[in-house]
Amino acid sequence: MTAHPSPDHHPSTRPLGPQSPSGEPFGARLRRAMDERGPLCVGIDPHASLLAEWDLNDDVAGLERFSRTVVEAVAERVAVVKPQSAFFERFGSRGVAVLEKTVEEARAAGALVVMDAKRGDIGSTMAAYAESYLHKDAPLFSDALTVSPYLGYGALRPAVELARESGTGLFVLALTSNPEGGEVQHAVRSDGRTVAATMLAHLAAENAEERPLGSFGAVVGATLGDLSSYDLDINGPLLAPGIGAQGATPADLPGVFGAAVRNVVPNVSRGVLRFGPDVLALREAADRFAEETRAAAAAA
């Protein structure tokens, strides 16, 4: 694939991934990445309809072409990329091999990689999931992992402990953008707090005293409107899906996240990916979203 020259407004390409100092926590690396490159996460979601839009076959070759193109276009310029594991897993072991290469190449280009796998279990099984993505020698080693706490936050402890040991992070599902999530997340516990508020409180405790930013973040949908009834100041990052195709815009972020907007990492997938397979068009779309999100945070 022929590489295209970068526009003059190319942001910093200072390595942020595996070349980072040993033991530097994810939160510190993420804060620097957001400050230098803008607070944006680009999802790598190679589902069948997007492959078709790019005139690629829905097979391993199409998957590999799609993923490598996205990495080539954005991994040297955005703070975070987020591969959705399911779209690789559906092709079996060959798809997972593509995912391994995608993670490796994105981190080598300087992006932080959040593996979107939403793992959640108990005991040794949770530990095994954590080792799959957060152990430094794992083929899928990533900078952070999305996890589900709905077997109880305490069940995530193996992942929390390994993340601390390896300098990686977690993004815990808290207030997701899908309508079905409310039946669990807005449920009120016997102490009067909602389940979502309980998860946010756990994360605030994990991040206490961490500077400049804790490594344990929450997934909070950008499409949820006013969230002032929730304390989003967890001293950790807030991964915010919903920008672009789901209807939210960067300008909406201050109204949703309030004073916590500086720690928001908006996730854009189709809003950028629809400009492929043209590498320059993908880059320009990512740059636009990054600048708009930076401006929205600065104006809050």
Side-chain angles (χ1 to χ4, degrees):
M1 192 183 312
T2 302
H4 296 272
S6 300
D8 292 339
H9 61 284
H10 194 301
S12 168
T13 57
R14 175 182 174 185
L16 299 162
Q19 301 88 349
S20 299
S22 176
E24 187 180 19
F26 170 69
R29 292 185 287 129
L30 178 61
R31 177 78 273 159
R32 186 172 73 248
M34 293 168 68
D35 291 345
E36 293 185 356
R37 297 182 171 204
L40 184 69
C41 170
V42 173
I44 304 180
D45 297 354
H47 48 75
S49 62
L50 262 177
L51 295 178
E53 287 180 25
W54 284 32
D55 292 324
L56 298 173
N57 292 331
D58 187 21
D59 56 19
V60 173
L63 175 75
E64 183 172 20
R65 180 66 182 272
F66 180 96
S67 302
R68 296 193 72 174
T69 301
V70 177
V71 169
E72 177 188 354
V74 307
E76 290 187 346
R77 54 204 312 111
V78 302
V80 181
V81 297
K82 182 174 69 64
Q84 169 46 258
S85 179
F87 293 120
F88 295 82
E89 292 175 30
R90 69 192 185 98
F91 293 103
S93 61
R94 294 176 66 199
V96 173
V98 174
L99 179 58
E100 291 176 7
K101 195 67 174 175
T102 299
V103 171
E104 177 187 355
E105 292 180 350
R107 297 188 77 238
L112 298 174
V113 173
V114 174
M115 180 62 69
D116 194 359
K118 299 183 178 70
R119 300 305 192 216
D121 216 302
I122 61 172
S124 59
T125 308
M126 187 67 242
Y129 278 137
E131 289 168 4
S132 299
Y133 304 101
L134 304 179
H135 191 283
K136 62 182 179 62
D137 296 325
L140 286 168
F141 178 66
S142 303
D143 296 284
L145 172 68
T146 61
V147 292
S148 173
Y150 296 111
L151 287 171
Y153 182 86
L156 298 178
R157 186 54 51 190
V160 171
E161 292 174 354
L162 184 53
R164 290 194 187 282
E165 177 184 329
S166 61
T168 56
L170 299 176
F171 283 98
V172 177
L173 302 180
L175 287 159
T176 57
S177 56
N178 62 305
E180 303 89 345
E183 68 184 38
V184 174
Q185 295 156 20
H186 299 316
V188 178
R189 292 161 31 101
S190 58
D191 62 5
R193 289 195 303 185
T194 65
V195 171
T198 300
M199 299 307 160
L200 293 169
H202 281 302
L203 292 168
E206 300 287 1
N207 293 323
E209 309 304 326
E210 294 293 330
R211 296 290 181 271
L213 188 68
S215 298
F216 300 94
V219 178
V220 179
T223 57
L224 296 178
D226 182 4
L227 292 175
S228 58
S229 60
Y230 285 94
D231 185 0
L232 299 176
D233 185 13
I234 62 170
N235 190 35
L238 302 169
L239 183 63
I243 302 291
Q246 294 186 44
T249 70
D252 295 327
L253 295 174
V256 177
F257 294 95
V261 71
R262 184 171 179 268
N263 295 333
V264 170
V265 186
N267 177 75
V268 180
S269 295
R270 182 176 287 275
V272 169
L273 301 178
R274 67 186 180 88
F275 290 96
D278 185 280
V279 170
L280 283 179
L282 286 165
R283 286 177 179 166
E284 290 168 359
D287 285 347
R288 283 195 302 272
F289 275 109
E291 184 53 39
E292 289 173 10
T293 55
R294 190 197 297 271

